[in-house]
């Protein structure tokens, strides 16, 4: 298996522009997680899906952030408009569900490094 | 609420030295405990885990024992290598929902 795939790996944009990050989870996994990592705040869970349905978006920082999962093999995280404080590494992770709960092991993608100028 | 506290880095050691990275947790009930590792430019990957008290997780020469009495899950390795240089995250799953709670990470530098 190719693992979790994220694109782009690097994104540089200007303040006010729309940014879309993409994720393809591991085939067969029914949980998908979006995280943000910064030096100041560490690793933060933004939102997660189960069977394509958003379960908890309490970590989404504000209305400028939105996430979708239109099917089992694709998810997007969109920031509109972007701001310099959104600069971070964004990770997608997936896991296999067991008896309705996510298993312990989450498999992370390589991340997208976002820089907002 | 549930939380994980791990020692701040960076930790710098010489090759073949003994490694300990401390981790303590706060959680109700019976959480599962993990160590994840992040190599430069990569995402996190599971290093080891323990699901109940007194369990020992081990992988690649690393070990950690689930100590409920001290609410700790310290990571140890007897002889580190340069290739162990990475950021190590302690984490817990409260087993109430699907989330994993991560510590802030400890950066480890191993000098040849």
């Amino acid at each position: 298996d190719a693992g979790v795939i994220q694109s782009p790996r690097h994104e540089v944009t200007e303040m006010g522009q729309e940014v879309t990050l993409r994720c393809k989870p591991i085939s067969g996994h029914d949980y998908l997680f979006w995280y943000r990592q910064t030096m100041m705040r560490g690793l933060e869970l933004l939102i997660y899906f189960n069977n394509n349905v958003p379960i908890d978006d309490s970590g989404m920082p504000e209305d400028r952030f939105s996430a979708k999962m239109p099917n089992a093999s694709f998810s997007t995280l969109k920031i509109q408009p972007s701001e310099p404080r959104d600069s971070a590494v964004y990770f997608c992770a997936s896991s296999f569900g067991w008896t309705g709960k996510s298993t312990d092991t989450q498999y992370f993608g390589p991340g997208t490094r976002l820089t907002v100028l | 609420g549930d939380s994980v506290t791990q020692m701040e880095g960076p930790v710098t050691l010489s090759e073949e030295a003994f490694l300990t990275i401390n981790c303590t947790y706060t959680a109700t009930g019976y959480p599962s405990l993990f160590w994840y590792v992040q190599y430069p430019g990569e995402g996190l990957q599971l290093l080891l885990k323990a699901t109940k008290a007194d369990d020992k997780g081990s992988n690649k020469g690393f070990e950690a024992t689930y100590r409920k009495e001290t609410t700790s899950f310290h990571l140890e390795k007897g002889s580190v290598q340069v290739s162990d240089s990475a950021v190590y995250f302690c984490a817990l799953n409260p087993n109430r929902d699907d989330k994993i709670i991560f510590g802030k990470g400890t950066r480890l530098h191993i000098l040849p």
Side-chain angles (χ1 to χ4, degrees), chain A residues 2-4 9 12 30 44 58 62 66 69 73-74 87 90 114:
Chain A
V4 176
R9 292 295 309 275
V12 179
D30 47 4
E44 303 172 277
S58 60
E62 48 198 275
S66 63
M69 193 165 185
S73 58
F74 184 66
S87 297
Y90 291 81
L114 173 65

Side-chain angles (χ1 to χ4, degrees), chain A residues 2-58:
Chain A
V4 176
I5 299 172
Q6 292 187 246
S7 65
R9 292 295 309 275
H10 302 275
E11 177 79 39
V12 179
T13 191
E14 293 189 345
M15 184 174 61
Q17 297 297 306
E18 178 180 295
V19 174
T20 299
L21 311 181
R22 297 173 176 79
C23 174
K24 176 179 170 55
I26 292 172
S27 177
H29 283 189
D30 47 4
Y31 282 83
L32 185 139
F33 304 81
W34 281 102
Y35 291 89
R36 178 173 67 176
Q37 184 180 40
T38 61
M39 290 294 291
M40 291 297 293
R41 301 171 69 93
L43 194 66
E44 303 172 277
L45 175 64
L46 301 178
I47 185 172
Y48 76 94
F49 297 82
N50 176 220
N51 290 321
N52 313 336
V53 176
I55 303 302
D56 186 345
D57 65 354
S58 60

Side-chain angles (χ1 to χ4, degrees), chain B residues 44-62:
Chain B
L44 282 69
Q45 57 185 272
L46 181 68
L47 180 60
L48 53 85
K49 70 178 184 181
T51 57
K52 61 182 187 297
D54 300 325
D55 268 2
K56 177 185 285 188
S58 61
N59 186 24
K60 299 181 181 180
F62 290 89

Side-chain angles (χ1 to χ4, degrees), chain A residues 57-82:
Chain A
D57 65 354
S58 60
M60 296 285 263
E62 48 198 275
D63 292 345
R64 297 184 297 106
F65 287 69
S66 63
K68 295 181 180 179
M69 193 165 185
N71 57 61
S73 58
F74 184 66
S75 177
T76 59
L77 178 67
K78 185 175 293 186
I79 308 173
Q80 166 63 18
S82 58

Side-chain angles (χ1 to χ4, degrees), chain A residues 9 31 33 35 37 40-41 43 45 48 56 58 91 100-102 104-106 108-110, chain B residues 32 34 36 38 41-44 46 49 51 89 93 95-100 102 104 107:
Chain A
R9 292 295 309 275
Y31 282 83
F33 304 81
Y35 291 89
Q37 184 180 40
M40 291 297 293
R41 301 171 69 93
L43 194 66
L45 175 64
Y48 76 94
D56 186 345
S58 60
F91 289 103
K101 302 295 288 182
S102 174
D104 296 333
T105 303
Q106 293 182 14
F108 282 72
Chain B
S32 299
F34 315 88
Y36 278 76
Q38 183 179 27
E42 299 183 11
L44 282 69
L46 181 68
K49 70 178 184 181
T51 57
F89 293 85
N93 181 339
N95 290 321
R96 288 193 303 276
D97 55 28
D98 304 306
K99 299 179 187 178
I100 292 179
F102 289 89
K104 291 188 178 298
R107 185 175 298 276

Side-chain angles (χ1 to χ4, degrees), chain B residues 30-84:
Chain B
Y30 304 93
S32 299
L33 301 174
F34 315 88
W35 279 99
Y36 278 76
V37 59
Q38 183 179 27
Y39 298 104
E42 299 183 11
L44 282 69
Q45 57 185 272
L46 181 68
L47 180 60
L48 53 85
K49 70 178 184 181
T51 57
K52 61 182 187 297
D54 300 325
D55 268 2
K56 177 185 285 188
S58 61
N59 186 24
K60 299 181 181 180
F62 290 89
E63 293 182 339
T65 302
Y66 189 142
R67 302 286 188 199
K68 193 164 179 64
E69 64 275 16
T70 55
T71 62
S72 65
F73 193 55
H74 304 322
L75 182 68
E76 297 181 336
K77 186 175 185 182
S79 177
V80 293
Q81 306 300 312
V82 172
S83 57
D84 294 326

